[in-house]
Amino acid sequence: MSGSDHPATAHTCLPEHVAIIMDGNGRWASTRGLPLLAGHRAGAEAVQRTVRAATARGVRWLTLYAFSSENWRRAPGEVADLTSLLRYYLRHKVAELSREGVRLRIIGDLARFPRDIQEEARRAEEVTRGNTRLVLVLALSYGGRADIVQAATRMAQAVARGELRAEQIDETVFASALLTAGMPDPDLVVRTSGECRLSNFLLWQSAYAELVFLDIPWPDFDATHFDAVLDIYSRRERRFGARPA
């Protein structure tokens, strides 16, 4: 049975929000003697499998680290391949997402992308706005530190305009200025390909997330692996700093 055909599994404690750092496309391609673009295409297929698995399992929010703010430093050819792949999926896969009840939300600095991609992204958000089965969040040109800085800047500007008093700023108010405003914090953060770090992903939001690191490269991730990380999560005891009873 393939991962995409794996039946839905009941989990005793289901995370509301799963966030994934999709790592390993390049290594997957290299070990197979394939061009880097083949790894990114296989990674895009893994995204589709994961969205289907999350929907089937009843996860309500899925955030994917699709393109970090640091990815702009990669070779121009790779950046061009990634943006072309993004353009293709925004143009040709959004209708399928909508049919499955998936709402698309995008966070990050979209202004760095070509104008047509910006327009396709906003169109995709609008087309899927009414869907409620799963919210798929794509982090594009996103960096956790930059997110915190822009939130602090917005707070400072609001204080300067007299719209907010400094003593009113608490964690809830600050979170409302982040790019993820209105979203629940991730319960579970998963990273593939053996690396054990957050790499500037949802730094504020992941303060109490459960972290799971997998050795497999992202293109190999399927519904079986998704079930495995849900099982790991269900066995964790989340205390949020409190002592166990």
Side-chain angles (χ1 to χ4, degrees), residues 9-36:
T9 302
H11 297 276
T12 56
C13 181
L14 193 70
E16 180 183 16
H17 184 179
V18 177
I20 303 179
I21 301 170
M22 306 179 294
D23 192 17
N25 291 351
R27 289 172 225 178
W28 182 92
S30 178
T31 58
R32 289 161 176 76
L34 297 171
L36 183 55

PDB file of all heavy atoms in Angstrom, residues 9-36:
ATOM      1  N   THR A   9      -6.101   7.045  10.281  1.00  0.00           N
ATOM      2  CA  THR A   9      -5.912   6.387  11.558  1.00  0.00           C
ATOM      3  C   THR A   9      -6.454   7.271  12.669  1.00  0.00           C
ATOM      4  O   THR A   9      -6.244   8.473  12.662  1.00  0.00           O
ATOM      5  CB  THR A   9      -4.408   6.109  11.801  1.00  0.00           C
ATOM      6  OG1 THR A   9      -3.901   5.307  10.732  1.00  0.00           O
ATOM      7  CG2 THR A   9      -4.186   5.394  13.117  1.00  0.00           C
ATOM      8  N   ALA A  10      -7.151   6.659  13.633  1.00  0.00           N
ATOM      9  CA  ALA A  10      -7.667   7.423  14.760  1.00  0.00           C
ATOM     10  C   ALA A  10      -6.537   7.686  15.746  1.00  0.00           C
ATOM     11  O   ALA A  10      -5.787   6.782  16.101  1.00  0.00           O
ATOM     12  CB  ALA A  10      -8.792   6.641  15.442  1.00  0.00           C
ATOM     13  N   HIS A  11      -6.394   8.939  16.173  1.00  0.00           N
ATOM     14  CA  HIS A  11      -5.362   9.301  17.136  1.00  0.00           C
ATOM     15  C   HIS A  11      -6.032   9.848  18.383  1.00  0.00           C
ATOM     16  O   HIS A  11      -6.992  10.618  18.311  1.00  0.00           O
ATOM     17  CB  HIS A  11      -4.416  10.340  16.532  1.00  0.00           C
ATOM     18  CG  HIS A  11      -3.671   9.826  15.331  1.00  0.00           C
ATOM     19  ND1 HIS A  11      -2.517   9.085  15.438  1.00  0.00           N
ATOM     20  CD2 HIS A  11      -3.938   9.927  14.014  1.00  0.00           C
ATOM     21  CE1 HIS A  11      -2.093   8.768  14.229  1.00  0.00           C
ATOM     22  NE2 HIS A  11      -2.939   9.257  13.347  1.00  0.00           N
ATOM     23  N   THR A  12      -5.505   9.433  19.535  1.00  0.00           N
ATOM     24  CA  THR A  12      -6.157   9.794  20.789  1.00  0.00           C
ATOM     25  C   THR A  12      -6.023  11.279  21.107  1.00  0.00           C
ATOM     26  O   THR A  12      -6.878  11.854  21.764  1.00  0.00           O
ATOM     27  CB  THR A  12      -5.565   8.968  21.943  1.00  0.00           C
ATOM     28  OG1 THR A  12      -4.136   9.178  21.983  1.00  0.00           O
ATOM     29  CG2 THR A  12      -5.831   7.480  21.731  1.00  0.00           C
ATOM     30  N   CYS A  13      -4.961  11.900  20.658  1.00  0.00           N
ATOM     31  CA  CYS A  13      -4.739  13.318  20.931  1.00  0.00           C
ATOM     32  C   CYS A  13      -4.226  13.969  19.655  1.00  0.00           C
ATOM     33  O   CYS A  13      -3.060  13.818  19.296  1.00  0.00           O
ATOM     34  CB  CYS A  13      -3.739  13.481  22.065  1.00  0.00           C
ATOM     35  SG  CYS A  13      -3.408  15.200  22.509  1.00  0.00           S
ATOM     36  N   LEU A  14      -5.102  14.664  18.971  1.00  0.00           N
ATOM     37  CA  LEU A  14      -4.767  15.192  17.658  1.00  0.00           C
ATOM     38  C   LEU A  14      -4.330  16.649  17.765  1.00  0.00           C
ATOM     39  O   LEU A  14      -5.019  17.460  18.390  1.00  0.00           O
ATOM     40  CB  LEU A  14      -5.991  15.093  16.747  1.00  0.00           C
ATOM     41  CG  LEU A  14      -5.778  15.317  15.252  1.00  0.00           C
ATOM     42  CD1 LEU A  14      -4.989  14.159  14.660  1.00  0.00           C
ATOM     43  CD2 LEU A  14      -7.120  15.462  14.553  1.00  0.00           C
ATOM     44  N   PRO A  15      -3.197  17.015  17.183  1.00  0.00           N
ATOM     45  CA  PRO A  15      -2.816  18.430  17.174  1.00  0.00           C
ATOM     46  C   PRO A  15      -3.748  19.229  16.282  1.00  0.00           C
ATOM     47  O   PRO A  15      -4.152  18.769  15.218  1.00  0.00           O
ATOM     48  CB  PRO A  15      -1.390  18.404  16.605  1.00  0.00           C
ATOM     49  CG  PRO A  15      -1.334  17.163  15.774  1.00  0.00           C
ATOM     50  CD  PRO A  15      -2.223  16.168  16.471  1.00  0.00           C
ATOM     51  N   GLU A  16      -4.075  20.427  16.714  1.00  0.00           N
ATOM     52  CA  GLU A  16      -4.883  21.298  15.872  1.00  0.00           C
ATOM     53  C   GLU A  16      -4.051  21.864  14.728  1.00  0.00           C
ATOM     54  O   GLU A  16      -4.534  22.025  13.612  1.00  0.00           O
ATOM     55  CB  GLU A  16      -5.457  22.453  16.707  1.00  0.00           C
ATOM     56  CG  GLU A  16      -6.327  23.416  15.905  1.00  0.00           C
ATOM     57  CD  GLU A  16      -6.824  24.593  16.729  1.00  0.00           C
ATOM     58  OE1 GLU A  16      -6.272  24.851  17.810  1.00  0.00           O
ATOM     59  OE2 GLU A  16      -7.780  25.261  16.287  1.00  0.00           O
ATOM     60  N   HIS A  17      -2.788  22.132  15.007  1.00  0.00           N
ATOM     61  CA  HIS A  17      -1.924  22.813  14.043  1.00  0.00           C
ATOM     62  C   HIS A  17      -0.593  22.080  13.943  1.00  0.00           C
ATOM     63  O   HIS A  17       0.138  21.960  14.930  1.00  0.00           O
ATOM     64  CB  HIS A  17      -1.711  24.263  14.496  1.00  0.00           C
ATOM     65  CG  HIS A  17      -0.911  25.093  13.543  1.00  0.00           C
ATOM     66  ND1 HIS A  17      -0.630  26.423  13.777  1.00  0.00           N
ATOM     67  CD2 HIS A  17      -0.312  24.805  12.347  1.00  0.00           C
ATOM     68  CE1 HIS A  17       0.092  26.922  12.778  1.00  0.00           C
ATOM     69  NE2 HIS A  17       0.304  25.939  11.907  1.00  0.00           N
ATOM     70  N   VAL A  18      -0.298  21.596  12.759  1.00  0.00           N
ATOM     71  CA  VAL A  18       0.991  20.947  12.466  1.00  0.00           C
ATOM     72  C   VAL A  18       1.777  21.853  11.533  1.00  0.00           C
ATOM     73  O   VAL A  18       1.247  22.338  10.525  1.00  0.00           O
ATOM     74  CB  VAL A  18       0.787  19.569  11.805  1.00  0.00           C
ATOM     75  CG1 VAL A  18       2.135  18.941  11.447  1.00  0.00           C
ATOM     76  CG2 VAL A  18      -0.010  18.640  12.717  1.00  0.00           C
ATOM     77  N   ALA A  19       3.030  22.105  11.867  1.00  0.00           N
ATOM     78  CA  ALA A  19       3.912  22.907  11.018  1.00  0.00           C
ATOM     79  C   ALA A  19       5.100  22.045  10.601  1.00  0.00           C
ATOM     80  O   ALA A  19       5.636  21.288  11.419  1.00  0.00           O
ATOM     81  CB  ALA A  19       4.387  24.151  11.760  1.00  0.00           C
ATOM     82  N   ILE A  20       5.497  22.160   9.343  1.00  0.00           N
ATOM     83  CA  ILE A  20       6.549  21.280   8.817  1.00  0.00           C
ATOM     84  C   ILE A  20       7.627  22.087   8.119  1.00  0.00           C
ATOM     85  O   ILE A  20       7.343  22.919   7.250  1.00  0.00           O
ATOM     86  CB  ILE A  20       5.960  20.238   7.846  1.00  0.00           C
ATOM     87  CG1 ILE A  20       4.861  19.413   8.522  1.00  0.00           C
ATOM     88  CG2 ILE A  20       7.069  19.310   7.343  1.00  0.00           C
ATOM     89  CD1 ILE A  20       4.221  18.375   7.624  1.00  0.00           C
ATOM     90  N   ILE A  21       8.879  21.810   8.495  1.00  0.00           N
ATOM     91  CA  ILE A  21      10.044  22.337   7.790  1.00  0.00           C
ATOM     92  C   ILE A  21      10.429  21.274   6.772  1.00  0.00           C
ATOM     93  O   ILE A  21      10.949  20.219   7.136  1.00  0.00           O
ATOM     94  CB  ILE A  21      11.194  22.620   8.763  1.00  0.00           C
ATOM     95  CG1 ILE A  21      10.744  23.624   9.828  1.00  0.00           C
ATOM     96  CG2 ILE A  21      12.415  23.140   8.013  1.00  0.00           C
ATOM     97  CD1 ILE A  21      11.737  23.786  10.977  1.00  0.00           C
ATOM     98  N   MET A  22      10.161  21.552   5.524  1.00  0.00           N
ATOM     99  CA  MET A  22      10.332  20.558   4.456  1.00  0.00           C
ATOM    100  C   MET A  22      11.780  20.614   3.955  1.00  0.00           C
ATOM    101  O   MET A  22      12.126  21.427   3.118  1.00  0.00           O
ATOM    102  CB  MET A  22       9.346  20.836   3.319  1.00  0.00           C
ATOM    103  CG  MET A  22       7.911  20.930   3.770  1.00  0.00           C
ATOM    104  SD  MET A  22       6.769  21.289   2.407  1.00  0.00           S
ATOM    105  CE  MET A  22       7.284  22.949   1.943  1.00  0.00           C
ATOM    106  N   ASP A  23      12.602  19.718   4.456  1.00  0.00           N
ATOM    107  CA  ASP A  23      14.036  19.754   4.160  1.00  0.00           C
ATOM    108  C   ASP A  23      14.462  18.463   3.468  1.00  0.00           C
ATOM    109  O   ASP A  23      13.960  17.385   3.795  1.00  0.00           O
ATOM    110  CB  ASP A  23      14.814  19.933   5.473  1.00  0.00           C
ATOM    111  CG  ASP A  23      16.274  20.268   5.249  1.00  0.00           C
ATOM    112  OD1 ASP A  23      16.636  20.672   4.127  1.00  0.00           O
ATOM    113  OD2 ASP A  23      17.057  20.120   6.197  1.00  0.00           O
ATOM    114  N   GLY A  24      15.385  18.597   2.529  1.00  0.00           N
ATOM    115  CA  GLY A  24      16.000  17.406   1.947  1.00  0.00           C
ATOM    116  C   GLY A  24      15.748  17.172   0.478  1.00  0.00           C
ATOM    117  O   GLY A  24      16.129  16.129  -0.056  1.00  0.00           O
ATOM    118  N   ASN A  25      15.124  18.125  -0.226  1.00  0.00           N
ATOM    119  CA  ASN A  25      14.892  17.932  -1.663  1.00  0.00           C
ATOM    120  C   ASN A  25      16.200  17.741  -2.421  1.00  0.00           C
ATOM    121  O   ASN A  25      16.310  16.878  -3.293  1.00  0.00           O
ATOM    122  CB  ASN A  25      14.145  19.134  -2.248  1.00  0.00           C
ATOM    123  CG  ASN A  25      12.712  19.238  -1.757  1.00  0.00           C
ATOM    124  OD1 ASN A  25      12.202  18.341  -1.110  1.00  0.00           O
ATOM    125  ND2 ASN A  25      12.069  20.347  -2.070  1.00  0.00           N
ATOM    126  N   GLY A  26      17.186  18.581  -2.089  1.00  0.00           N
ATOM    127  CA  GLY A  26      18.462  18.496  -2.789  1.00  0.00           C
ATOM    128  C   GLY A  26      19.187  17.193  -2.526  1.00  0.00           C
ATOM    129  O   GLY A  26      19.734  16.574  -3.452  1.00  0.00           O
ATOM    130  N   ARG A  27      19.187  16.751  -1.282  1.00  0.00           N
ATOM    131  CA  ARG A  27      19.863  15.496  -0.932  1.00  0.00           C
ATOM    132  C   ARG A  27      19.166  14.307  -1.581  1.00  0.00           C
ATOM    133  O   ARG A  27      19.810  13.361  -2.020  1.00  0.00           O
ATOM    134  CB  ARG A  27      19.885  15.330   0.593  1.00  0.00           C
ATOM    135  CG  ARG A  27      20.818  16.300   1.288  1.00  0.00           C
ATOM    136  CD  ARG A  27      20.679  16.247   2.794  1.00  0.00           C
ATOM    137  NE  ARG A  27      20.630  17.606   3.338  1.00  0.00           N
ATOM    138  CZ  ARG A  27      20.484  17.873   4.607  1.00  0.00           C
ATOM    139  NH1 ARG A  27      20.359  16.892   5.479  1.00  0.00           N
ATOM    140  NH2 ARG A  27      20.454  19.121   5.027  1.00  0.00           N
ATOM    141  N   TRP A  28      17.848  14.368  -1.617  1.00  0.00           N
ATOM    142  CA  TRP A  28      17.078  13.295  -2.266  1.00  0.00           C
ATOM    143  C   TRP A  28      17.490  13.183  -3.730  1.00  0.00           C
ATOM    144  O   TRP A  28      17.718  12.073  -4.238  1.00  0.00           O
ATOM    145  CB  TRP A  28      15.587  13.611  -2.148  1.00  0.00           C
ATOM    146  CG  TRP A  28      14.660  12.581  -2.715  1.00  0.00           C
ATOM    147  CD1 TRP A  28      14.087  11.529  -2.057  1.00  0.00           C
ATOM    148  CD2 TRP A  28      14.179  12.507  -4.067  1.00  0.00           C
ATOM    149  NE1 TRP A  28      13.278  10.804  -2.902  1.00  0.00           N
ATOM    150  CE2 TRP A  28      13.315  11.383  -4.143  1.00  0.00           C
ATOM    151  CE3 TRP A  28      14.381  13.277  -5.199  1.00  0.00           C
ATOM    152  CZ2 TRP A  28      12.672  11.016  -5.324  1.00  0.00           C
ATOM    153  CZ3 TRP A  28      13.743  12.916  -6.378  1.00  0.00           C
ATOM    154  CH2 TRP A  28      12.897  11.800  -6.434  1.00  0.00           C
ATOM    155  N   ALA A  29      17.585  14.306  -4.423  1.00  0.00           N
ATOM    156  CA  ALA A  29      17.968  14.290  -5.837  1.00  0.00           C
ATOM    157  C   ALA A  29      19.416  13.843  -6.014  1.00  0.00           C
ATOM    158  O   ALA A  29      19.731  13.046  -6.910  1.00  0.00           O
ATOM    159  CB  ALA A  29      17.774  15.682  -6.437  1.00  0.00           C
ATOM    160  N   SER A  30      20.298  14.334  -5.147  1.00  0.00           N
ATOM    161  CA  SER A  30      21.723  14.008  -5.280  1.00  0.00           C
ATOM    162  C   SER A  30      21.986  12.518  -5.126  1.00  0.00           C
ATOM    163  O   SER A  30      22.770  11.942  -5.887  1.00  0.00           O
ATOM    164  CB  SER A  30      22.514  14.793  -4.229  1.00  0.00           C
ATOM    165  OG  SER A  30      23.884  14.478  -4.299  1.00  0.00           O
ATOM    166  N   THR A  31      21.332  11.887  -4.165  1.00  0.00           N
ATOM    167  CA  THR A  31      21.564  10.454  -3.936  1.00  0.00           C
ATOM    168  C   THR A  31      21.041   9.603  -5.093  1.00  0.00           C
ATOM    169  O   THR A  31      21.446   8.442  -5.232  1.00  0.00           O
ATOM    170  CB  THR A  31      20.902   9.985  -2.631  1.00  0.00           C
ATOM    171  OG1 THR A  31      19.495  10.260  -2.679  1.00  0.00           O
ATOM    172  CG2 THR A  31      21.516  10.696  -1.429  1.00  0.00           C
ATOM    173  N   ARG A  32      20.185  10.179  -5.911  1.00  0.00           N
ATOM    174  CA  ARG A  32      19.641   9.456  -7.066  1.00  0.00           C
ATOM    175  C   ARG A  32      20.271   9.890  -8.380  1.00  0.00           C
ATOM    176  O   ARG A  32      19.847   9.447  -9.452  1.00  0.00           O
ATOM    177  CB  ARG A  32      18.112   9.652  -7.126  1.00  0.00           C
ATOM    178  CG  ARG A  32      17.387   8.909  -6.012  1.00  0.00           C
ATOM    179  CD  ARG A  32      15.979   9.439  -5.773  1.00  0.00           C
ATOM    180  NE  ARG A  32      15.283   8.643  -4.775  1.00  0.00           N
ATOM    181  CZ  ARG A  32      15.509   8.717  -3.468  1.00  0.00           C
ATOM    182  NH1 ARG A  32      16.413   9.556  -3.011  1.00  0.00           N
ATOM    183  NH2 ARG A  32      14.825   7.945  -2.630  1.00  0.00           N
ATOM    184  N   GLY A  33      21.246  10.762  -8.308  1.00  0.00           N
ATOM    185  CA  GLY A  33      21.895  11.247  -9.518  1.00  0.00           C
ATOM    186  C   GLY A  33      20.987  12.077 -10.396  1.00  0.00           C
ATOM    187  O   GLY A  33      21.166  12.129 -11.617  1.00  0.00           O
ATOM    188  N   LEU A  34      20.032  12.767  -9.767  1.00  0.00           N
ATOM    189  CA  LEU A  34      19.054  13.554 -10.516  1.00  0.00           C
ATOM    190  C   LEU A  34      19.342  15.043 -10.351  1.00  0.00           C
ATOM    191  O   LEU A  34      19.977  15.458  -9.375  1.00  0.00           O
ATOM    192  CB  LEU A  34      17.639  13.252 -10.004  1.00  0.00           C
ATOM    193  CG  LEU A  34      17.148  11.813 -10.178  1.00  0.00           C
ATOM    194  CD1 LEU A  34      15.822  11.619  -9.437  1.00  0.00           C
ATOM    195  CD2 LEU A  34      17.001  11.480 -11.644  1.00  0.00           C
ATOM    196  N   PRO A  35      18.869  15.864 -11.272  1.00  0.00           N
ATOM    197  CA  PRO A  35      19.038  17.316 -11.117  1.00  0.00           C
ATOM    198  C   PRO A  35      18.232  17.824  -9.925  1.00  0.00           C
ATOM    199  O   PRO A  35      17.235  17.214  -9.517  1.00  0.00           O
ATOM    200  CB  PRO A  35      18.510  17.886 -12.431  1.00  0.00           C
ATOM    201  CG  PRO A  35      17.609  16.828 -12.985  1.00  0.00           C
ATOM    202  CD  PRO A  35      18.193  15.518 -12.543  1.00  0.00           C
ATOM    203  N   LEU A  36      18.662  18.944  -9.394  1.00  0.00           N
ATOM    204  CA  LEU A  36      18.019  19.519  -8.219  1.00  0.00           C
ATOM    205  C   LEU A  36      16.530  19.778  -8.442  1.00  0.00           C
ATOM    206  O   LEU A  36      15.705  19.577  -7.540  1.00  0.00           O
ATOM    207  CB  LEU A  36      18.722  20.819  -7.833  1.00  0.00           C
ATOM    208  CG  LEU A  36      18.249  21.537  -6.576  1.00  0.00           C
ATOM    209  CD1 LEU A  36      18.295  20.612  -5.365  1.00  0.00           C
ATOM    210  CD2 LEU A  36      19.100  22.772  -6.337  1.00  0.00           C
TER     211      LEU A  36
END
